[in-house]
Amino acid sequence: MKWTKFYLPDAYSPTMEQLVYFHDHTMSIITSITILICILLNSLLWNKLIDLNMNEHQMIETWWTILPTIVLFLITIPSLKILYSMEELINPTISIKSMGHQWYWSYEYSDKFCKELESYMKYNKKNDFRLLEVDNKMKAPFLTQIRMIFSSSDVLHSWTIPCLGIKMDAVPGRINQSSLMIKKPG
């Protein structure tokens, strides 16, 4: 992944793969609608507007009401499937608790062994990803169902890994959870 790419980051989880497919699906619908509107505008510009029967076509009005509804359903149904699959928690093997603090994150692995670590953000260097590089990286196994638990000790925090398609808010006094499955090591 490079900062010069104008596309989504490489998918490392099933959730992100579904989000990329949904993005492509939606963009193909939007592109086809845009092309259709351009063709209709072009034909309208070159039309002499002398067809008097065009004012009496209720069938055209029916279709331009029904077609946008069908297009909205074509976008809504995959979107809802992805939304529900992102919230689904399927028998996690390991749980990782992530606690947001003022300038750092602390992680706690407590299922099989008890391990805690604190992760501070690195200062910008030439090859580092800005606001993503840390000194102690959270380590998680791949091809394993993981439950992430988020909370905060002081203010609102946002925990995100773009290539996994996960972004959760850590709110003081509340616990948010999300499922995570990493398909590739790295």
Side-chain angles (χ1 to χ4, degrees):
M1 185 172 116
K2 297 197 183 343
W3 289 111
T4 57
K5 287 179 66 174
F6 289 109
Y7 194 63
L8 298 170
D10 296 334
Y12 281 78
S13 71
T15 303
M16 188 61 186
E17 287 176 355
Q18 290 177 354
L19 289 172
V20 169
Y21 292 144
F22 176 70
H23 172 267
D24 294 344
H25 169 72
T26 307
M27 287 305 293
S28 65
I29 291 173
I30 291 172
T31 303
S32 61
I33 289 172
T34 305
I35 290 171
L36 178 69
I37 296 296
C38 288
I39 291 171
L40 290 175
L41 283 175
N42 189 23
S43 68
L44 184 66
L45 287 175
W46 298 108
N47 193 355
K48 301 291 186 203
L49 301 174
I50 56 173
D51 188 9
L52 298 177
N53 293 329
M54 193 67 165
N55 294 332
E56 300 298 325
H57 284 286
Q58 283 84 23
M59 187 60 90
I60 290 176
E61 292 177 5
T62 304
W63 278 108
W64 76 40
T65 304
I66 291 174
L67 282 178
T69 307
I70 292 171
V71 168
L72 285 176
F73 275 113
L74 287 175
I75 293 173
T76 303
I77 291 172
S79 172
L80 288 175
K81 286 172 68 176
I82 293 171
L83 185 65
Y84 282 116
S85 72
M86 288 174 72
E87 294 294 324
E88 188 176 351
L89 198 61
I90 307 168
N91 197 15
T93 306
I94 187 171
S95 294
I96 302 172
K97 181 180 176 186
S98 178
M99 180 71 83
H101 300 283
Q102 188 71 32
W103 295 105
Y104 63 97
W105 287 89
S106 62
Y107 300 103
E108 180 182 328
Y109 302 85
S110 60
D111 281 343
K112 309 231 185 305
F113 54 91
C114 192
K115 181 181 178 185
E116 294 183 21
L117 63 103
E118 294 178 346
S119 180
Y120 290 90
M121 197 168 35
K122 278 186 183 178
Y123 292 109
N124 291 340
K125 291 184 183 174
K126 187 175 183 180
N127 295 330
D128 287 347
F129 288 117
R130 185 175 177 268
L131 301 176
L132 290 177
E133 292 293 329
V134 293
D135 58 353
N136 289 327
K137 295 181 180 181
M138 181 194 82
K139 293 178 178 53
F142 70 100
L143 297 178
T144 303
Q145 192 69 34
I146 303 166
R147 176 177 56 183
M148 293 291 301
I149 301 171
F150 303 98
S151 189
S152 174
S153 64
D154 45 19
V155 295
L156 292 175
H157 294 280
S158 184
W159 191 90
T160 182
I161 300 178
C163 61
L164 294 178
I166 183 170
K167 183 176 181 91
M168 288 296 289
D169 291 329
V171 182
R174 298 191 78 179
I175 294 178
N176 289 336
Q177 73 175 2
S178 179
S179 66
L180 178 65
M181 182 168 184
I182 305 169
K183 288 183 75 171
K184 300 176 189 174

